[in-house]
Amino acid sequence: MITKRSLMATACVSLLASIALTACGNGTEQLNAKKENAAGGGKTLTFWRAGTDAAEKAYWTRVIQEFEASHQGVKVNYSEVPFGNDMETKLNAAYASGTAPDVLSYSLASVAQRANLGQYEPLDAYLDKWAGKSDLMDSVYQTGTYKGKLYGIGFIPDPRVLLWRKDLFEAAGLNPEKPPANWEELSQYAQQLTKKEGDTTVMAGLAIPTANSWTFWQSFVLQNGAKIIDVEKNEPLFDSPEAIEATQYIVDLVKKGVTIPNDSTKANENLFPNGKAAIAYDSPAAFVNTQKDHPELTGKIGVAGPIERKQKATFAGMRLLFMGSQSKQKDLAFDFMQTVMSKEETWKRYKELGTPVVLNSLKTDYIKDKPEINQAVFDAVSYGQGAAKVTYSSKMYEIISQNLEAAFYGKKTGEQAMKEAADALKKELPNLIAK
């Protein structure tokens, strides 16, 4: 017999069961939400890149938009900082305050210093998750290694090739299809191509950076058979007779007024892409950007491998992607890095910025696409040298650039500049190595 009391008891049991099921349902939803957040939803990724040029900013804007669209709820905060002291100062402050970026696009020169300080995350543990790792060129892979670990993934090779304005060559009575073949011709052509208004150079015959000039200088030092530093002994070698000869060669050209004072690390001052130089050692991106910004120069810019003196040599830097050791979302950070390194994105980067490819599977297509240009670029990459992998490279090159600038403005000879730079570095080394 069903009584009123039993009906009430049954209703209570049903109500409690309903509450329990609802609670379980809410718990499942909360768990699923946590899983979504762990996969990237609702997260912010900070990405900094060294450089301020407009073309690369446009490139990163597109990449970030596409990454955010494919990762629902993810926001990428993008910042750009000029190369050199500006970036160094900002990074030092960020690491000191615990606000360093999750992902950083920066130079080869930073590898040893930042890895040694524990500021770059070793990437070896993530390589098994990266399907494209076997496609990365070995030379590029080795660039990002330090003390047996991979800290950075090279994605923008930055070799210096010889660029020249064919239209200006022709106007000056020079063969527009034949760039200078040696140092003597380079000096002659540079002076012949220079245009002045009074004592002021308005068109540089040769773009020589007068500030932060170490990359330009290094190309000539290497071409003359010299070395920058003995990495094992921490002994500066840039005060050798060969290095001094190369330095004085550059100083003499600056004194002859073949260049316009500039800092090529700043996009608005880089002479060749801004149409203010007839010849330059510059990057493949400068070749692309100059014609993009000055359509009237399309087809009027030549490109060749660097000049050979005692040996073939040029500066060949590498922009790498680094993961910050302070990142609290390393999986998402590496996911962003994988996206940038994909075959599709690598080819897009080449097409949009003119940057050499770094994947073996794209080599043939790259050479075939523009054989008259891309072969020279690959030649430059093959025998080029980047910044020395020492923890004090930033300080070393800062000292070199400061002494070069003093020589450019007549305060020192090339010999004095190199000897004083070597002495200054030797005095600093005990403290620099201790750090």
Side-chain angles (χ1 to χ4, degrees), residues 242-275:
E242 294 80 7
I244 289 171
E245 181 185 20
T247 302
Q248 192 61 53
Y249 172 80
I250 300 169
V251 170
D252 288 343
L253 283 173
V254 173
K255 288 183 176 180
K256 289 173 182 176
V258 304
T259 193
I260 298 169
N262 73 97
D263 181 346
S264 64
T265 65
K266 297 179 179 178
N268 64 329
E269 293 188 25
N270 196 3
L271 298 181
F272 196 88
N274 286 295

Side-chain angles (χ1 to χ4, degrees), residues 102-146:
D102 297 296
V103 181
L104 172 69
S105 165
Y106 201 23
S107 64
L108 170 63
S110 72
V111 173
Q113 178 189 10
R114 299 287 172 185
N116 197 60
L117 291 171
Q119 295 175 348
Y120 287 163
E121 181 75 11
L123 301 175
D124 305 80
Y126 297 88
L127 295 182
D128 290 339
K129 305 174 185 178
W130 183 22
K133 65 177 180 179
S134 60
D135 198 13
L136 189 67
M137 294 167 57
D138 184 63
S139 59
V140 175
Y141 179 91
Q142 294 302 325
T143 298
T145 61
Y146 177 67

Side-chain angles (χ1 to χ4, degrees), residues 170-188:
E170 192 168 14
L174 298 170
N175 186 334
E177 302 302 326
K178 296 185 73 174
N182 50 53
W183 282 14
E184 290 72 27
E185 284 189 358
L186 180 62
S187 177
Q188 175 196 332

Side-chain angles (χ1 to χ4, degrees), residues 36-37 39-43 66-75 332:
E36 287 178 9
N37 286 336
K43 288 193 173 183
E66 292 178 0
F67 184 80
E68 290 175 339
S70 65
H71 292 69
Q72 188 175 6
V74 171
K75 172 67 178 175
L332 184 60

Side-chain angles (χ1 to χ4, degrees), residues 120-355:
Y120 287 163
E121 181 75 11
L123 301 175
D124 305 80
Y126 297 88
L127 295 182
D128 290 339
K129 305 174 185 178
W130 183 22
K133 65 177 180 179
S134 60
D135 198 13
L136 189 67
M137 294 167 57
D138 184 63
S139 59
V140 175
Y141 179 91
Q142 294 302 325
T143 298
T145 61
Y146 177 67
K147 293 184 176 180
K149 294 182 179 181
L150 181 69
Y151 284 94
I153 301 176
F155 74 110
I156 298 184
D158 193 22
R160 297 297 181 265
V161 291
L162 191 69
L163 303 178
W164 74 94
R165 287 272 301 272
K166 294 182 179 182
D167 57 328
L168 297 180
F169 267 52
E170 192 168 14
L174 298 170
N175 186 334
E177 302 302 326
K178 296 185 73 174
N182 50 53
W183 282 14
E184 290 72 27
E185 284 189 358
L186 180 62
S187 177
Q188 175 196 332
Y189 288 14
Q191 293 175 70
Q192 194 169 337
L193 290 160
T194 298
K195 295 180 182 179
K196 295 185 177 183
E197 292 180 358
D199 293 331
T200 303
T201 300
V202 294
M203 174 61 74
L206 174 63
I208 302 176
T210 51
N212 292 312
S213 54
W214 67 270
T215 58
F216 181 91
W217 164 87
Q218 181 167 304
S219 293
F220 286 84
V221 171
L222 295 174
Q223 286 172 17
N224 210 32
K227 296 183 179 179
I228 308 302
I229 194 162
D230 184 324
V231 175
E232 298 300 323
K233 297 180 180 178
N234 291 306
E235 180 183 351
L237 302 174
F238 48 80
D239 57 347
S240 67
E242 294 80 7
I244 289 171
E245 181 185 20
T247 302
Q248 192 61 53
Y249 172 80
I250 300 169
V251 170
D252 288 343
L253 283 173
V254 173
K255 288 183 176 180
K256 289 173 182 176
V258 304
T259 193
I260 298 169
N262 73 97
D263 181 346
S264 64
T265 65
K266 297 179 179 178
N268 64 329
E269 293 188 25
N270 196 3
L271 298 181
F272 196 88
N274 286 295
K276 295 180 179 180
I279 305 174
Y281 272 116
D282 215 322
S283 66
F287 173 83
V288 174
N289 294 339
T290 302
Q291 293 174 94
K292 185 182 293 185
D293 295 338
H294 302 275
E296 70 278 8
L297 296 179
T298 301
K300 296 180 180 179
I301 297 176
V303 58
I307 290 172
E308 180 179 0
R309 191 167 172 81
K310 293 182 180 178
Q311 64 182 24
K312 285 186 176 182
T314 188
F315 176 81
M318 180 72 74
R319 208 95 58 79
L320 302 98
L321 292 173
F322 301 100
M323 184 191 300
S325 60
Q326 294 180 353
S327 175
K328 293 179 174 59
Q329 41 201 4
K330 293 184 172 67
D331 287 338
L332 184 60
F334 194 75
D335 193 12
F336 181 77
M337 297 166 77
Q338 285 187 83
T339 298
V340 176
M341 296 304 301
S342 70
K343 184 175 180 178
E344 179 184 13
E345 192 54 54
T346 299
W347 189 253
K348 285 182 180 180
R349 190 160 53 248
Y350 159 59
K351 284 297 187 178
E352 293 175 26
L353 298 178
T355 57

Side-chain angles (χ1 to χ4, degrees), residues 47-53 56-57 60 78-88 90-91 101 103-108 110 120 155-156 158 265-267 318-322:
F47 170 57
W48 293 4
R49 73 108 173 171
T52 58
D53 57 290
E56 192 172 337
K57 181 177 182 179
W60 283 117
Y78 168 77
S79 296
E80 54 185 37
V81 186
F83 279 99
N85 290 335
D86 288 347
M87 176 59 91
E88 288 296 309
K90 185 168 183 177
L91 275 177
V103 181
L104 172 69
S105 165
Y106 201 23
S107 64
L108 170 63
S110 72
Y120 287 163
F155 74 110
I156 298 184
D158 193 22
T265 65
K266 297 179 179 178
M318 180 72 74
R319 208 95 58 79
L320 302 98
L321 292 173
F322 301 100

